[in-house]
Amino acid sequence: KHQILSRFFKHQTNDFLTMAAILCQSISNLCSATCSGCGQVCKLPCTLCSSICRPMCEGIKKLCSSHFCIYASVALGLNLPPIIFGLNSIAYGGCKGSQWLIVNIIFCIAHIVAAFYLAMQSKSWSDTMNTLCYDPWIAAYILFGIGSFVWLCTGMSWAMSGAIQNGNCPDNIGSLTYNSIYFGYAFFGFGMSALLISMMISACMGKKDSSHDKDGASNGTYFAFPAASNKV
């Protein structure tokens, strides 16, 4: 009887230990999964921030090192205020001046996008010439730029005739329109100057790089002959 009881208690003890081990393992797995899930959730904002900030930083770095950095800066500085003016009048859709400003927002955004696109594409003088002469997006932008100048002239005509205030217009629609027109003409003046300066910089840097390449090739040829003569 004593042996039977001993075996019974031993069997019960083993079952208890086995169940306790299974329970502890389950709790451990649950805690591990919870901690891993919390870690992934906590890491998610940092991952999203890194995925957004890293391309932006690389793009800014590439833009600042571009030959057309000046042109892109001028385009951004002179087209951003008209966008703000247009957004301030967007609630007055029945006003003719507001309608002109809203259309002008599209042209201003196109100027900024084209300037940044040119800056990103132009890594050398040959890239600059290929982009300006053969890129279909730049060709479309040139036509868009002509339409932007015509739209500026139309806005000036409406402003001088007083038609810009037709409809349900705010009190400052005249100043918003005139300021946008002034910034637009300033962009065509200073922007074209900045574009020419950027092209000159690209051309000079391209010639400098090509001269360095030629010097390197000539120097390599000069040192190659003595080495060959020594072997002979």
Side-chain angles (χ1 to χ4, degrees), residues 45-61:
C46 297
T47 304
L48 292 176
C49 183
S50 176
S51 62
I52 295 174
C53 295
R54 186 178 301 168
M56 291 180 61
C57 293
E58 292 178 355
I60 293 174
K61 182 180 179 180

Side-chain angles (χ1 to χ4, degrees), residues 116-127:
F116 277 71
Y117 176 77
L118 181 60
M120 293 295 184
Q121 295 294 322
S122 302
K123 301 177 182 178
S124 63
W125 174 242
S126 60
D127 291 338

Side-chain angles (χ1 to χ4, degrees), residues 33-215:
T34 303
C35 293
S36 178
C38 291
Q40 293 295 329
V41 172
C42 294
K43 191 173 68 175
L44 183 60
C46 297
T47 304
L48 292 176
C49 183
S50 176
S51 62
I52 295 174
C53 295
R54 186 178 301 168
M56 291 180 61
C57 293
E58 292 178 355
I60 293 174
K61 182 180 179 180
K62 187 176 180 180
L63 176 64
C64 293
S65 61
S66 173
H67 300 160
F68 285 80
C69 179
I70 298 176
Y71 175 62
S73 301
V74 172
L76 180 63
L78 292 179
N79 286 283
L80 189 59
I83 294 176
I84 298 175
F85 298 153
L87 293 176
N88 289 334
S89 65
I90 200 170
Y92 301 90
C95 176
K96 198 168 186 178
S98 179
Q99 295 172 0
W100 185 90
L101 289 171
I102 293 172
V103 175
N104 190 57
I105 290 176
I106 301 175
F107 287 113
C108 292
I109 294 176
H111 292 320
I112 296 174
V113 172
F116 277 71
Y117 176 77
L118 181 60
M120 293 295 184
Q121 295 294 322
S122 302
K123 301 177 182 178
S124 63
W125 174 242
S126 60
D127 291 338
T128 300
M129 295 305 298
N130 289 332
T131 303
L132 291 175
C133 298
Y134 302 108
D135 194 289
W137 294 107
I138 296 298
Y141 168 70
I142 293 174
L143 299 176
F144 210 77
I146 295 173
S148 175
F149 186 80
V150 173
W151 189 246
L152 285 175
C153 297
T154 302
M156 179 61 74
S157 176
W158 288 358
M160 294 180 65
S161 64
I164 207 76
Q165 297 182 353
N166 292 342
N168 184 20
C169 298
D171 297 334
N172 61 342
I173 190 64
S175 62
L176 292 176
T177 304
Y178 273 112
N179 290 334
S180 297
I181 292 172
Y182 295 153
F183 273 102
Y185 282 123
F187 169 70
F188 277 98
F190 293 105
M192 293 301 104
S193 300
L195 178 61
L196 292 176
I197 293 173
S198 298
M199 292 178 64
M200 292 173 60
I201 293 174
S202 181
C204 293
M205 294 297 292
K207 291 181 179 179
K208 184 178 179 180
D209 294 338
S210 62
S211 64
H212 281 311
D213 294 338
K214 291 180 180 179
D215 292 340

